[in-house]
């Protein structure tokens, strides 16, 4: 993947991460709380965050000071 592909993927992951924030908030405020679904959404959000961090590490060059 080149840099533009990585940036595009990072943008899509950020959108999905924000969408998961909204879904988690909506599920948490529901009268019937589905703990299993809430846990799955939170795990997915953490995996997205890890993937975003990995892509950001690829985009930012290592600088030896």
């Amino acid at each position: 993947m080149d840099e533009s592909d990585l940036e595009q993927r990072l943008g899509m992951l950020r959108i999905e991460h924000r969408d998961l924030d909204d879904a988690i908030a909506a599920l948490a405020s529901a009268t019937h709380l589905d703990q299993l679904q809430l846990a799955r959404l939170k795990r997915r959000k953490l995996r997205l965050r890890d993937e975003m961090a990995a892509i950001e590490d690829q985009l930012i060059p290592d600088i030896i000071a």
Side-chain angles (χ1 to χ4, degrees):
M1 291 183 116
D2 64 353
E3 188 172 328
S4 64
D5 290 339
L6 289 173
E7 288 174 354
Q8 184 179 16
R9 175 74 177 144
L10 184 59
M12 290 173 25
L13 290 173
R14 286 182 176 150
I15 291 169
E16 187 175 352
H17 192 265
R18 268 194 310 268
D19 291 345
L20 281 173
D21 274 336
D22 295 339
I24 290 170
L27 188 60
S29 67
T31 56
H32 174 67
L33 186 61
D34 185 355
Q35 291 290 336
L36 183 60
Q37 183 67 19
L38 187 61
R40 286 178 179 158
L41 290 175
K42 287 182 177 182
R43 276 194 302 269
R44 174 71 180 146
K45 186 177 169 190
L46 288 173
R47 282 194 306 269
L48 287 174
R49 187 183 68 188
D50 290 344
E51 189 175 346
M52 288 187 307
I55 291 174
E56 288 170 347
D57 286 344
Q58 290 178 356
L59 290 173
I60 299 171
D62 291 333
I63 299 174
I64 300 173

